[in-house]
Amino acid sequence: MAKANKEENNSKPRRRISFFKAFLILIGADLVLLLAPGIGLLNSAFYVGDMVSWPALLIGLALLAVGIKGLFRQE
């Protein structure tokens, strides 16, 4: 008795998540949540000056953008 041929799986290709990009997203989100001017968690408990909070917010948003841009890779 002949064996049947296996059907090829025509589903979507697997996508891998880059660990470094996910780490950049986590760091960026932490910077935004902790040091956002006026509403950040550290700014609500302590006074963190504008010289620290605005650059930290911009750096956090940039890290989020870079991390999200290259998060998924085709396998």
Side-chain angles (χ1 to χ4, degrees):
M1 184 184 284
K3 292 184 178 181
N5 293 335
K6 291 184 179 179
E7 292 184 28
E8 290 186 24
N9 191 1
N10 292 333
S11 64
K12 295 180 183 177
R14 260 180 76 176
R15 298 182 77 160
R16 297 187 59 183
I17 295 177
S18 170
F19 176 77
F20 180 69
K21 298 291 182 165
F23 188 67
L24 286 179
I25 291 173
L26 287 174
I27 296 296
D30 284 341
L31 283 174
V32 169
L33 288 174
L34 289 175
L35 296 171
I39 58 171
L41 294 175
L42 286 179
N43 274 335
S44 63
F46 308 106
Y47 176 72
V48 178
D50 287 339
M51 294 295 288
V52 174
S53 60
W54 282 107
L57 178 67
L58 294 177
I59 291 170
L61 290 175
L63 287 175
L64 281 171
V66 169
I68 290 173
K69 180 181 174 186
L71 181 63
F72 294 108
R73 295 182 291 181
Q74 294 289 340
E75 187 173 273

